[in-house]
Amino acid sequence: MATSWADEVEPRFSRAAPHDLAMWGWMLLRAAAAAARDNRSGEAAAMLRHARAAAVDLGRPFTMPHVGMIHPFSEATVTMQRAEYAMVRDRPEEVLRLSKGVGVEQLSKTSGNRNRHLLDVAHAQARTRRYSRAVETLARIHHDAPQWLPHQRYAQDVVRLIVERRRTLTPAMRQLAEVVRLPL
């Protein structure tokens, strides 16, 4: 559905208004996520390239609250989606490389997009045996969005990965397990 909508609203770059580029970019990101999870890597990569082109053309984050989109569309948004795509393809080093260009410090601490991205970062850190960094990242999410983290199954999966690979659990690991309701 997102692919069809993206095709319908595809703007002509030379005449596109900012809201047209942002809406097209959001549709491409949704379609890319679906394509990535459906193992259609060529389609996902193409959609992410087009979304990035729209974000670069915008030149700044663009929010569209009038259509219910409260999170801005920007190059950072596209980079977070690229990192998610890298995690789906089991490329944790690429996730960590991409995350350096996101600038999460400038994003709202309550943003679901930001916090999902940080879950990808924590997962990549755990997959590359950087367990203490993964715990720090998860603790940061919990500090910034304590009501959000316990409801994320993905967070429980990341904490489980850390716990299963460690012989000794730190107090911080035990606390995170409790937060995400992971029985030890």
Side-chain angles (χ1 to χ4, degrees), residues 81-127:
Q81 187 67 44
R82 288 177 60 211
E84 179 182 317
Y85 176 51
M87 201 66 246
V88 167
R89 293 179 301 149
D90 195 27
R91 295 185 177 168
E93 291 290 352
E94 186 176 344
V95 173
L96 298 174
R97 182 183 57 75
L98 287 166
S99 72
K100 292 176 184 173
V102 170
V104 293
E105 300 78 20
Q106 285 80 43
L107 302 174
S108 168
K109 293 178 179 184
T110 59
S111 165
N113 287 341
R114 171 203 182 256
N115 293 327
R116 274 188 300 279
H117 171 67
L118 287 175
L119 284 177
D120 281 330
V121 170
H123 189 196
Q125 290 165 331
R127 293 274 292 114

Side-chain angles (χ1 to χ4, degrees), residues 131 157 159-167 169 182:
Y131 303 115
D157 293 343
V159 173
R160 179 180 294 112
L161 177 64
I162 295 167
V163 167
E164 288 174 351
R165 292 186 175 185
R166 299 292 302 194
R167 281 190 227 161
L169 300 183
L182 178 69

Side-chain angles (χ1 to χ4, degrees), residues 10-112:
E10 183 175 352
R12 186 172 179 178
F13 272 68
S14 62
R15 297 183 190 160
H19 68 274
D20 294 328
L21 289 169
M23 184 58 72
W24 184 57
W26 274 117
M27 291 299 111
L28 288 168
L29 291 181
R30 299 292 186 254
R37 283 176 169 66
D38 195 30
N39 202 24
R40 293 179 284 138
S41 59
E43 287 179 50
M47 290 175 201
L48 288 170
R49 275 194 313 276
H50 294 310
R52 184 172 185 284
V56 167
D57 197 65
L58 274 170
R60 62 178 174 79
F62 189 81
T63 306
M64 302 173 296
H66 60 285
V67 293
M69 302 295 285
I70 58 172
H71 300 292
F73 177 76
S74 66
E75 287 186 69
T77 310
V78 176
T79 302
M80 287 187 283
Q81 187 67 44
R82 288 177 60 211
E84 179 182 317
Y85 176 51
M87 201 66 246
V88 167
R89 293 179 301 149
D90 195 27
R91 295 185 177 168
E93 291 290 352
E94 186 176 344
V95 173
L96 298 174
R97 182 183 57 75
L98 287 166
S99 72
K100 292 176 184 173
V102 170
V104 293
E105 300 78 20
Q106 285 80 43
L107 302 174
S108 168
K109 293 178 179 184
T110 59
S111 165

Side-chain angles (χ1 to χ4, degrees), residues 112-146:
N113 287 341
R114 171 203 182 256
N115 293 327
R116 274 188 300 279
H117 171 67
L118 287 175
L119 284 177
D120 281 330
V121 170
H123 189 196
Q125 290 165 331
R127 293 274 292 114
T128 57
R129 301 180 189 276
R130 296 172 176 120
Y131 303 115
S132 61
R133 295 295 306 266
V135 169
E136 289 172 13
T137 302
L138 290 164
R140 177 182 185 182
I141 299 168
H142 183 244
H143 177 268
D144 294 344

